[in-house]
């Protein structure tokens, strides 16, 4: 990944852009005459190391940076940026992303390279980090769609040949566009808005007359299709990486011969090279120089299996000679089939790639999809020989490590969510959460982002789904209200990862803190948490009541200010009654208590009462209670716990 360059020509611009340097990450480029002023603001925030200073004209500096840098963010007038980049623009397939921030830092414009270079996505990130408005002018965004040329990007699909401009134009006109999907995930379909222009598959004959005639076609397939350049209807093709090439070769076979052999096999079977997930072979080949170079240059993963693992795999063309030589009757076909059966490794076997069980072998045999049986390729001028077979996996290979973003979205109001948490949502390809909380953050969602809502009870399913998708290679945000690590989803995700033998690194995990309910509730009534405090959840679904009771006793006795989470549900009322009884044993009837319901949501309500009257107020599952300590006091409609500065509370 290229680093991003953020560029300004004034001190004001530097102030606006500096907060982007660490999270993007990016280098700040400024004219050298501003060095003292820029360093004066960068040093205290620890960003001096990200500052670069240029001499001479910005146009010349930009010409040097342009080919090496994938993304640019300018804080200057749009007109000035347009003039600066005009001589450098070449084609959207190669130009970098260009984003412009107004000097006040309130608006972020995706200027150029919106789709393929990622400027639209970068615009969302910059906007979330600065608390600014993202301005995106591409036609598809207006329709709530991600571009057709971005469709497969989250899943590492490869863009094939076709009239991409023609198909994009048809979508922009909202003309009917046919989608023929022959392989790859259909997850992207869940992110479509209700009025999308797509028609899936071939219409039945009877309906054909009524459906408006399609104006463009999108193939999602491992097949290589050739479209006539002058065809009336524009067509494009995406290739999900579902094909595993099983390969065997004589020792010392050249990289060129292997490359050629694969191309030949693919041409004969009309398969797209873009659909290649990777190469599979016998572990004897894991140091074969030509093969290693081929995989490096083509960026294909190489998966090598032991003869013991390949030997039991049923194949159409086994060979006794091969079995006698290497201990398995098939290398190319068996390796292709095995890699296709397990396109991603389960967490627990990330280090030890174990042999298949009899049940798994049975499954493999039933689902096996050998697109090309083994074939030997030789070339007169090239010594050596290559055997190639191709198997298709059900799930495509994603060439990135997945990511779990465990995001606390705060109590409700988006203004109470951190910029970093909003940025994490902007980075996520899939967002998983409880439906109500997904609704609360819906203004932050981008076209093409996949959301999966689960009912309130299905926490374990949420965690497992998130891990499954991240293990596959997606960036997955799991959201919790408040802080995700306080009675939230983050703990469950970490626990599940730990149980599955996670290596602590892949998928990567990032926890984004949020304002928890006790802070949100406290802020509504003043400063009740100004001294030692603790949180206790009254939910006995996961914790035995005896444990909760013991903690209540201890906390009450130790004079902690106590925040009660999950106080009472429609059916679970006894714990609350018991908690009140315990608290009264240690605290005066006059102890102030704050009852905060739906803090920072539209239906917020705040009641300040006392321990004596606590029972006479309605309390439910969106309520947090704050019980004062011995010195907490009520002052008009405020609750104050003295820290001790003025001699109280000692
Ligand atoms: N992770 C959340 C807590 C989840 S447990 C956090 O850090 O805030 C659910 C409990 O949190 C609710 O029963 C309620 O006691 C409390 N809660 C969550 N959001 C709240 C809000 N907006 N106002 C008041 N209490 C809230």
């Amino acid at each position: 990944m290229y680093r991003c360059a953020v560029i300004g020509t004034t001190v004001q611009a530097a102030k606006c852009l500096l907060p982007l340097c660490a999270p993007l990450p990016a280098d700040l480029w400024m004219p050298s005459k501003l060095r003292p002023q820029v360093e004066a603001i960068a040093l205290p925030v620890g960003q001096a190391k990200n500052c670069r200073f240029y001499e001479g004209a910005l146009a010349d500096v930009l010409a040097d940076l342009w080919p090496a840098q994938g993304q640019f963010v300018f804080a200057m007038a749009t007109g000035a940026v347009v003039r600066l980049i005009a001589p450098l623009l070449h084609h959207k397939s190669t130009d970098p992303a260009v984003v412009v921030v107004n000097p006040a830092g309130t608006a972020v414009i995706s200027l150029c390279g919106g789709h393929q270079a990622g400027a639209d996505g970068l615009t969302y990130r910059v906007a979330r980090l600065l608390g600014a408005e993202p301005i995106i002018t591409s036609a598809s965004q207006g329709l709530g769609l991600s571009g057709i040329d971005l469709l497969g990007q989250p899943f590492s699909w490869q863009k094939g040949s076709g009239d991409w401009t023609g198909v994009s134009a048809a979508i922009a006109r909202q003309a009917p566009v046919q989608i023929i999907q022959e392989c790859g995930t259909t997850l992207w379909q869940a992110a479509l808005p209700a009025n999308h222009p797509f028609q899936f598959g071939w219409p039945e004959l009877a309906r054909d007359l009524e459906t408006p005639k399609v104006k463009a076609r999108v193939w999602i397939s491992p097949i290589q299709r050739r479209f006539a350049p002058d065809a009336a209807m524009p067509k494009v093709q995406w290739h999900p990486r579902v094909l595993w090439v099983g390969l065997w070769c004589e020792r010392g076979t050249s990289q060129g011969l292997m490359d050629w052999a694969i191309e030949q096999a693919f041409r004969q079977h009309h398969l797209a090279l873009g659909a290649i997930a990777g190469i599979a072979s016998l572990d004897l080949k894991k140091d074969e120089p030509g093969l290693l170079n081929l995989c490096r240059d083509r960026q294909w993963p190489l998966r090598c299996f032991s003869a013991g693992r390949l030997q039991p795999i049923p194949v159409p063309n086994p060979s006794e000679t091969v079995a006698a030589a290497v201990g398995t009757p098939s290398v190319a076909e068996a390796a292709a089939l095995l890699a296709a059966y397990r396109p991603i490794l389960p967490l627990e076997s990330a280090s030890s790639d174990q042999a298949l069980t009899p049940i798994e072998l049975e499954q493999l045999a039933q689902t096996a999809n050998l697109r090309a049986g083994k074939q030997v390729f030789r070339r007169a001028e090239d010594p050596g020989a290559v055997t190639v077979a191709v198997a298709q996996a059900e799930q495509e290979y994603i060439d990135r490590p997945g990511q779990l973003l465990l995001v606390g979205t705060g109590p409700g109001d988006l203004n109470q969510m951190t910029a970093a948490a909003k940025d994490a949502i902007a980075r996520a390809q899939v967002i998983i959460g409880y439906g109500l909380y997904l609704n609360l953050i819906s203004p932050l969602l981008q076209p093409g982002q996949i959301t999966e809502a689960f009912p309130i009870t299905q926490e374990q399913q949420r965690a497992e789904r998130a891990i499954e998708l991240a293990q596959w290679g997606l960036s997955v945000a799991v959201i919790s209200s408040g802080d995700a690590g306080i009675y939230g989803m983050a703990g469950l995700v970490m626990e599940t990862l730990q149980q599955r033998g996670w290596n602590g690194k892949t998928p990567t995990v990032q926890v984004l803190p949020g304002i928890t309910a006790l802070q949100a509730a406290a802020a509504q009534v003043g400063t009740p948490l100004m001294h030692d405090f603790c949180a206790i959840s009254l939910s006995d679904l996961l914790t035995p009541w005896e444990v909760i009771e013991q903690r209540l006793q201890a906390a009450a006795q130790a004079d902690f200010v106590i925040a009660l989470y999950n106080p009472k549900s429609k059916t679970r009322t006894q714990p609350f009654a018991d908690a009140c009884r315990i608290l009264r044993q240690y605290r005066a009837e006059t102890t102030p208590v704050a009852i905060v319901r739906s803090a920072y949501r539209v239906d917020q309500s705040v009641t300040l009462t006392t321990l004596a009257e606590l029972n006479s107020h309605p309390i439910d599952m969106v309520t947090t209670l704050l019980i004062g300590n011995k010195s907490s006091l009520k002052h008009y409609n405020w609750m104050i716990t003295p820290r001790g500065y003025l001699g109280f509370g000692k």
Side-chain angles (χ1 to χ4, degrees):
M1 260 275 268
Y2 297 116
R3 256 177 102 80
C4 176
V6 300
I7 302 177
T9 52
T10 62
V11 176
Q12 167 75 0
K15 280 187 191 153
C16 162
L17 294 172
L18 261 177
L20 301 175
C21 288
L24 282 181
D27 291 320
L28 172 66
W29 289 82
M30 296 294 293
S32 59
K33 62 176 191 298
L34 296 180
R35 183 175 199 132
Q37 292 105 302
V38 172
E39 283 186 342
I41 51 170
L43 265 173
V45 290
Q47 292 303 325
K49 60 179 183 308
N50 291 322
C51 297
R52 308 264 181 284
F53 298 95
Y54 63 84
E55 302 281 348
L58 177 53
D60 299 333
V61 178
L62 198 57
D64 285 343
L65 287 176
W66 192 258
Q69 213 82 32
Q71 301 180 318
F72 291 89
V73 180
F74 292 91
M76 52 177 83
T78 326
V81 178
V82 170
R83 285 175 211 290
L84 272 170
I85 65 168
L88 302 169
L89 292 171
H90 177 59
H91 189 268
K92 64 181 177 181
S93 61
T94 51
D95 289 334
V98 180
V99 167
V100 184
V101 183
N102 67 335
T106 52
V108 187
I109 306 164
S110 176
L111 189 67
C112 214
H115 287 178
Q116 287 170 53
D120 289 354
L122 180 63
T123 296
Y124 277 108
R125 290 205 59 196
V126 172
R128 298 309 177 224
L129 289 164
L130 298 181
E133 185 67 30
I135 297 168
I136 293 177
T137 54
S138 69
S140 55
Q141 287 266 330
L143 301 170
L145 295 162
S146 80
I148 197 69
D149 51 350
L150 285 181
L151 188 72
Q153 211 182 46
F155 316 106
S156 288
W157 297 357
Q158 301 294 297
K159 256 175 79 189
S161 57
D163 178 1
W164 292 90
T165 310
V167 175
S168 300
I171 294 171
R173 290 197 310 273
Q174 290 185 281
V177 173
Q178 187 180 29
I179 307 271
I180 312 287
Q181 181 159 12
E182 296 175 330
C183 71
T185 181
T186 54
L187 260 187
W188 63 275
Q189 295 175 12
L192 294 175
N195 61 346
H196 66 77
F198 301 129
Q199 291 182 9
F200 293 93
W202 301 100
E204 290 156 30
L205 219 53
R207 278 180 37 217
D208 199 6
L209 298 171
E210 292 154 36
T211 44
K213 213 163 159 19
V214 295
K215 294 288 186 284
R217 182 173 300 142
V218 179
W219 290 94
I220 302 168
S221 166
I223 303 286
Q224 179 67 57
R225 289 189 165 77
R226 286 172 217 295
F227 307 132
D230 54 353
M233 179 164 72
K235 303 179 194 78
V236 292
Q237 52 193 330
W238 274 105
H239 303 302
R241 295 180 63 179
V242 287
L243 301 179
W244 286 91
V245 179
L247 187 143
W248 175 252
C249 63
E250 287 174 11
R251 180 99 357 236
T253 299
S254 73
Q255 175 183 354
L257 182 58
M258 293 184 208
D259 217 1
W260 174 81
I262 294 171
E263 274 180 28
Q264 293 301 308
F266 271 62
R267 185 162 307 153
Q268 283 171 25
H269 292 89
H270 308 289
L271 297 172
L273 289 168
I276 294 182
I279 307 285
S281 190
L282 182 66
D283 53 12
L284 275 177
K285 292 290 153 205
K286 66 171 183 277
D287 57 355
E288 182 69 44
L291 184 55
L292 294 180
N293 291 338
L294 175 73
C295 288
R296 186 202 54 213
D297 291 353
R298 293 280 204 158
Q299 299 189 325
W300 288 329
L302 172 63
R303 293 179 61 194
C304 290
F305 305 107
S306 65
R309 293 199 62 199
L310 296 183
Q311 185 270 330
I313 306 226
V315 294
N317 305 297
S319 151
E320 279 177 26
T321 331
V322 176
V326 294
T328 165
S330 164
V331 173
E333 289 181 349
L337 286 169
L338 181 53
Y341 175 67
R342 279 225 175 128
I344 50 167
L345 291 177
L347 277 180
E348 59 264 41
S349 57
S351 52
S352 62
D353 202 359
Q354 285 145 2
L356 298 186
T357 62
I359 295 174
E360 288 173 324
L361 272 173
E362 181 62 39
Q363 257 182 359
L364 183 151
Q366 274 167 13
T367 56
N369 185 359
L370 201 64
R371 298 293 303 226
K374 79 166 179 190
Q375 202 177 340
V376 184
F377 294 88
R378 286 195 175 81
R379 262 199 309 205
E381 70 278 18
D382 230 338
V386 185
T387 309
V388 173
V390 184
Q392 182 171 333
E394 275 189 17
Q395 190 171 36
E396 60 271 51
Y397 168 77
I398 299 184
D399 63 2
R400 295 178 291 268
Q403 193 178 22
L404 283 163
L405 302 158
L406 309 177
V407 184
T409 58
D413 180 352
L414 288 181
N415 287 325
Q416 303 297 327
M417 185 173 169
T418 69
K422 289 179 184 169
D423 177 43
I425 299 297
R427 280 186 284 151
Q429 291 157 334
V430 183
I431 301 143
I432 290 181
Y434 166 46
L436 172 72
Y437 300 147
L438 281 172
N439 285 344
L440 286 174
I441 64 148
S442 61
L444 299 176
L445 298 178
Q446 306 161 31
Q449 274 185 321
I450 299 155
T451 55
E452 293 196 357
F454 285 71
I456 191 101
T457 47
Q458 295 187 2
E459 284 82 12
Q460 186 63 43
Q461 286 91 327
R462 251 179 266 168
E464 275 167 16
R465 176 68 173 156
I467 291 171
E468 177 195 355
L469 295 175
Q471 217 179 313
W472 179 26
L474 295 175
S475 288
V476 185
V478 182
I479 60 164
S480 269
S481 77
D483 185 285
I486 299 178
Y487 310 121
M489 281 300 300
L492 183 52
V493 171
M494 293 294 268
E495 232 181 286
T496 311
L497 279 169
Q498 183 266 334
Q499 275 193 359
R500 305 251 183 104
W502 177 53
N503 67 3
K505 291 189 210 118
T506 334
T508 59
V509 171
Q510 216 182 326
V511 186
L512 287 299
I515 294 178
T516 185
L518 66 80
Q519 290 168 289
Q524 300 306 319
V525 291
T527 56
L529 304 174
M530 195 60 190
H531 217 287
D532 302 338
F533 65 90
C534 68
I536 297 179
S537 164
L538 293 189
S539 169
D540 57 357
L541 293 176
L542 300 169
T543 313
W545 171 246
E546 299 72 54
V547 175
I548 301 172
E549 188 175 27
Q550 198 187 359
R551 288 188 184 153
L552 279 166
Q553 294 267 7
Q557 197 171 5
D559 202 33
F560 282 109
V561 177
I562 302 172
L564 294 178
Y565 282 70
N566 299 307
K568 198 175 176 182
S569 74
K570 283 200 186 81
T571 51
R572 189 174 48 74
T573 53
Q574 192 56 40
F576 181 67
D578 290 344
C580 290
R581 179 179 47 75
I582 295 167
L583 291 168
R584 285 209 187 92
Q585 285 168 16
Y586 299 94
R587 306 252 165 120
E589 295 283 299
T590 52
T591 304
V593 176
I595 305 173
V596 182
R597 187 175 184 282
S598 288
Y600 293 96
R601 297 186 194 163
V602 277
D603 51 341
Q604 168 176 309
S605 76
V606 180
T607 311
L608 211 50
T609 180
T610 60
L611 205 47
E613 282 166 20
L614 187 48
N615 264 327
S616 56
H617 296 279
I619 284 164
D620 63 11
M621 279 298 278
V622 282
T623 307
T624 298
L625 302 176
L626 301 173
I627 322 284
N629 68 10
K630 284 200 176 106
S631 47
S632 298
L633 53 97
K634 180 171 176 279
H635 182 72
Y636 296 96
N637 50 349
W638 296 97
M639 180 167 166
I640 304 168
T641 299
R643 175 75 180 91
Y645 295 112
L646 306 180
F648 305 122
K650 289 212 169 133

